[in-house]
């Protein structure tokens, strides 16, 4: 920072709605803190954000916000918040899904949004070195935050990579009324990338396979393999550049202490010095930090309750499926028994129409069997039975037991005895 901090004036950041103190910062003489507020965000990593406006002596304005967090997840984790949550890789299902952007493109997007709000056009004039950034310390801070968040949630990370980028970029704004202004965005974009790795992704799949296979096995007597077992031995892919998550990875990222300046061109340098002083000296109030930690604990508790409820719903669905299968089996059994009863009744009615008594059912059954096989059964004089084709309506036997069948006026002659049909 190009200005001695001893020369700065201390300011308190006061919430315009509650009157509570949100933090403190230092500004050059003539600058003052305007309206400020505490916002609650749908993010586990950054559940609270301080916003403040700062005004300069010549009409300069600085918009400040303390930080945000977004999520960028790999394709295998999209739509799998429950499974990813088991491993802490998608630490907050509430966090906004947004593609990672380094500090320079993030600053350009902020400048473009500012210009749209003013109805102005915007053009980049220059990029400057971000002042006073100690990169090793910044990376260590991000790693510590990642580890603390993981410990709070009981997450199981296979790896953690951190990334820090910074930008200070100056833009020209041309307003619809013909004025030319200057804008400057000062941003640090940092975050961490986690991955469950190939082995853990296979373990995740095996858990799902085991759960589904167990259900199918109980219902159908078999097993199911939902997740390819070859993934257990697949070599992990080479890591891509930070911010480009692989299939089983997620990036938690966002701006830290972002400041945007708008001023007349002649006051640009003075405004940049004030913006640098603000970012370098901002310290959140201890009570805000305590509330942030309490919010994280509440989110973790809520997620755990939701997980228990989801498990209970799943168990209830499995029980309903088992009941439905059992009811279906019972319905099939009832239908088969009813069909058998109808068949027996029809059989009995047919026998009654054929003049077959209840005590001669066996004889009727034998005739039915003969008809199905295309034969006629005859009885020899010695009481033995013999079969002929149904084409013969008469049959004769000689003294040696030989049998001949015929129809119409066929007569085998002397020595043959006509047989009676069974």
């Amino acid at each position: 920072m190009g200005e001695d901090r001893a020369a700065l004036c201390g300011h308190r950041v006061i919430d315009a709605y509650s009157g509570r103190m949100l933090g403190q910062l230092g500004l050059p003489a003539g600058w003052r803190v305007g309206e400020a507020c505490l916002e609650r965000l749908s993010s586990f990593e950054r559940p609270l954000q301080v916003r403040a406006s700062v005004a300069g002596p010549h009409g300069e304005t600085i918009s400040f916000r303390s930080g945000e967090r977004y999520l960028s997840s790999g394709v295998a984790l999209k739509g799998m918040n429950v499974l990813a949550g088991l491993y802490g890789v998608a630490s907050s299902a509430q966090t906004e899904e947004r593609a990672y952007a380094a500090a320079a493109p993030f600053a350009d997007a902020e400048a473009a949004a500012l210009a749209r709000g003013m109805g102005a056009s915007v053009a980049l004039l220059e990029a400057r070195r971000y002042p006073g950034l100690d990169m090793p310390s910044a990376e260590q801070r991000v790693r510590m935050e990642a580890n603390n968040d993981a410990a709070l949630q009981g997450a199981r990370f296979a790896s953690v990579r951190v990334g820090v980028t910074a930008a200070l970029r100056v833009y020209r704004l041309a307003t619809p009324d013909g004025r030319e202004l200057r804008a400057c965005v000062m941003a640090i974009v940092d975050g961490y990338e986690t991955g469950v790795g190939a082995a853990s992704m296979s373990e995740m799949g095996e858990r799902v396979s085991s759960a589904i296979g167990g259900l199918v096995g109980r219902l159908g007597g078999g097993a199911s393999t939902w997740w390819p077992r070859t993934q257990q031995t697949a070599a992990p892919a080479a890591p891509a550049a930070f911010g480009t998550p692989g299939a089983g990875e997620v990036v938690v990222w966002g701006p830290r202490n972002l400041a945007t300046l708008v001023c007349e061109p002649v006051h640009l340098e003075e405004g940049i010095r004030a913006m640098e002083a603000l970012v370098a000296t901002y310290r959140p109030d201890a009570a805000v930090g305590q509330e942030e930690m309490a919010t994280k604990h509440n989110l973790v508790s809520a997620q755990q309750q939701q997980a228990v409820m989801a498990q209970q719903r799943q168990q209830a669905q499995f029980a309903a499926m088992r009941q439905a299968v059992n009811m279906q089996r019972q319905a099939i059994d009832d239908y088969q028994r009813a069909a058998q009863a109808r068949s027996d009744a029809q059989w009995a009615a047919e026998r009654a129409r054929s003049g077959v008594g209840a005590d001669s059912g066996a004889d009727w059954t034998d005739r039915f069997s003969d008809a199905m096989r295309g034969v006629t059964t005859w009885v020899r004089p010695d009481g033995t039975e013999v079969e002929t084709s149904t084409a013969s309506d008469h049959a004769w036997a000689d003294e040696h037991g030989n049998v001949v069948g015929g129809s119409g006026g066929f007569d085998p002659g002397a020595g043959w005895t006509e047989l009676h049909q069974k």
Side-chain angles (χ1 to χ4, degrees), residues 7 14 31 34 81-82 95 103 109 124 190 213 219 293 296 342 349 371 385:
I14 304 298
W31 290 75
N81 289 331
V82 174
T95 301
L124 176 66
D190 57 16
L219 296 184
M293 184 58 65
K296 289 186 176 185
R342 287 194 300 270
E385 297 179 358

Coordinates of all heavy atoms in Angstrom, one line a residue, residues 7 14 31 34 81-82 95 103 109 124 190 213 219 293 296 342 349 371 385:
A7 N -1.2 7.2 8.9 CA -1.9 8.4 8.4 C -3.3 8.2 8.1 O -4.0 9.1 7.7 CB -1.1 8.9 7.2
I14 N -21.0 0.1 10.3 CA -22.2 -0.1 11.1 C -23.3 -0.6 10.2 O -23.6 0.0 9.2 CB -22.6 1.2 11.8 CG1 -21.4 1.7 12.7 CG2 -23.8 0.9 12.7 CD1 -21.0 0.8 13.8
W31 N -12.2 10.8 3.5 CA -13.1 9.6 3.0 C -13.9 9.2 4.2 O -13.5 9.2 5.4 CB -12.2 8.5 2.5 CG -11.5 8.8 1.2 CD1 -10.5 9.6 1.0 CD2 -11.9 8.3 -0.1 NE1 -10.1 9.6 -0.3 CE2 -11.0 8.8 -1.0 CE3 -12.9 7.4 -0.5 CZ2 -11.1 8.5 -2.3 CZ3 -13.0 7.1 -1.9 CH2 -12.1 7.7 -2.8
G34 N -20.1 4.9 4.2 CA -21.6 5.2 4.0 C -22.4 4.1 4.6 O -22.1 3.5 5.6
N81 N -25.7 -34.9 -5.1 CA -25.3 -34.1 -3.9 C -25.3 -35.1 -2.6 O -24.5 -34.9 -1.7 CB -26.3 -33.0 -3.7 CG -26.1 -31.9 -4.7 OD1 -25.0 -31.7 -5.1 ND2 -27.2 -31.2 -5.0
V82 N -26.2 -36.0 -2.6 CA -26.2 -36.9 -1.4 C -25.0 -37.7 -1.3 O -24.3 -37.8 -0.3 CB -27.5 -37.8 -1.5 CG1 -27.4 -38.8 -0.3 CG2 -28.8 -37.0 -1.4
T95 N -24.7 -24.0 -2.0 CA -23.8 -23.1 -2.7 C -24.1 -23.0 -4.2 O -24.4 -24.1 -4.8 CB -22.4 -23.6 -2.5 OG1 -22.1 -23.7 -1.1 CG2 -21.4 -22.7 -3.1
A103 N -8.9 -14.2 -11.2 CA -9.2 -12.8 -10.7 C -9.4 -11.8 -11.9 O -10.3 -11.0 -11.9 CB -8.0 -12.3 -9.9
A109 N -15.7 -9.1 -15.5 CA -17.2 -9.3 -15.4 C -17.8 -8.3 -14.4 O -18.9 -7.8 -14.6 CB -17.4 -10.8 -14.9
L124 N -11.2 -1.8 -21.1 CA -10.0 -2.0 -20.2 C -8.9 -1.1 -20.6 O -8.5 -1.0 -21.8 CB -9.5 -3.5 -20.2 CG -8.2 -3.8 -19.4 CD1 -8.5 -3.6 -17.9 CD2 -7.7 -5.2 -19.8
D190 N -9.8 -16.7 -4.7 CA -9.1 -17.8 -4.2 C -10.1 -19.0 -3.9 O -11.3 -18.8 -4.0 CB -8.3 -17.5 -2.9 CG -9.1 -16.9 -1.8 OD1 -10.4 -17.0 -1.9 OD2 -8.6 -16.3 -0.9
G213 N -28.0 -53.5 -5.0 CA -28.0 -55.0 -5.1 C -28.6 -55.7 -4.0 O -29.2 -56.7 -4.2
L219 N -35.5 -58.9 -3.2 CA -36.8 -58.9 -4.0 C -36.8 -60.1 -5.0 O -37.8 -60.7 -5.2 CB -37.1 -57.6 -4.6 CG -37.3 -56.4 -3.7 CD1 -37.7 -55.2 -4.5 CD2 -38.4 -56.7 -2.7
M293 N -19.5 -18.8 12.5 CA -19.2 -20.1 12.9 C -20.5 -20.8 13.4 O -20.7 -22.0 13.1 CB -18.2 -20.1 14.1 CG -17.8 -21.5 14.5 SD -17.1 -22.5 13.2 CE -15.6 -21.6 12.8
K296 N -22.5 -22.0 10.5 CA -21.9 -23.2 9.9 C -22.3 -24.4 10.7 O -22.7 -25.5 10.1 CB -20.4 -23.1 9.8 CG -19.8 -22.1 8.8 CD -18.3 -22.2 8.7 CE -17.8 -21.3 7.6 NZ -16.3 -21.5 7.4
R342 N -61.6 -72.9 -11.8 CA -62.5 -72.8 -13.0 C -62.3 -74.0 -13.9 O -63.2 -74.6 -14.5 CB -62.3 -71.5 -13.7 CG -62.8 -70.3 -13.0 CD -62.9 -69.1 -13.9 NE -61.5 -68.7 -14.4 CZ -60.7 -67.9 -13.7 NH1 -61.1 -67.3 -12.6 NH2 -59.5 -67.6 -14.3
A349 N -68.0 -80.4 -15.4 CA -69.2 -80.2 -16.2 C -69.2 -81.0 -17.5 O -70.2 -81.5 -18.0 CB -69.4 -78.7 -16.5
A371 N -57.2 -89.8 -26.5 CA -57.6 -88.9 -27.5 C -56.5 -87.9 -27.8 O -56.2 -87.5 -28.9 CB -58.9 -88.1 -27.1
E385 N -54.5 -105.2 -22.3 CA -54.9 -104.0 -23.1 C -54.0 -103.8 -24.2 O -52.8 -104.2 -24.2 CB -55.0 -102.7 -22.2 CG -56.0 -102.8 -21.1 CD -55.9 -101.5 -20.3 OE1 -55.1 -100.6 -20.6 OE2 -56.8 -101.4 -19.3

